[in-house]
Amino acid sequence: MMTPSAVRDYLRERGSAPLSDVALHFDAGEDAVRAALDLWIGKGRVRALTDGAGCSKAGTCGCTCKAEEIFEWIGERRLAG
C-alpha cells in the first residue's frame, strides 16, 4: 500500500529514484506518487531532479520523449540492517 510514509521509506533506502520506478514499485499512478512526494518536498526532505537524458533534440522533434523526473531523499538516510 502506498502511503507518504511508505514512499519516504522507499526513497530513504534507495537515496533517489525516478518517478516511474516509485510508481511501479507501489503499483500506483504517477500523479498519486507525485502527490506523496510533494508532501516530502514541502517538508524539505526530498528534492526533484530532472535527468536530461530524454530526447537529444530537446523536445523540438515532436516525439513523446521527455526527461525523467528523479526524486532524491535529502533528509536523514536510514541505514540498512
Side-chain angles (χ1 to χ4, degrees):
M1 174 184 227
M2 188 198 75
T3 63
S5 296
V7 172
R8 174 200 64 204
D9 293 346
Y10 181 76
L11 272 185
R12 262 191 195 165
E13 291 175 12
R14 291 186 50 125
S16 65
L19 176 64
S20 59
D21 285 3
V22 181
L24 182 65
H25 176 80
F26 289 104
D27 192 26
E30 289 186 359
D31 289 339
V33 172
R34 191 177 288 107
L37 289 164
D38 284 346
L39 172 78
W40 296 111
I41 290 170
K43 292 183 178 222
R45 302 291 191 205
V46 170
R47 70 176 161 193
L49 309 170
T50 302
D51 177 11
C55 181
S56 63
K57 299 190 190 274
T60 61
C61 66
C63 70
T64 59
C65 296
K66 65 177 182 174
E68 180 75 55
E69 291 178 88
I70 298 173
F71 292 87
E72 180 180 39
W73 181 258
I74 57 175
E76 294 178 14
R77 293 284 302 266
R78 187 163 104 190
L79 300 176

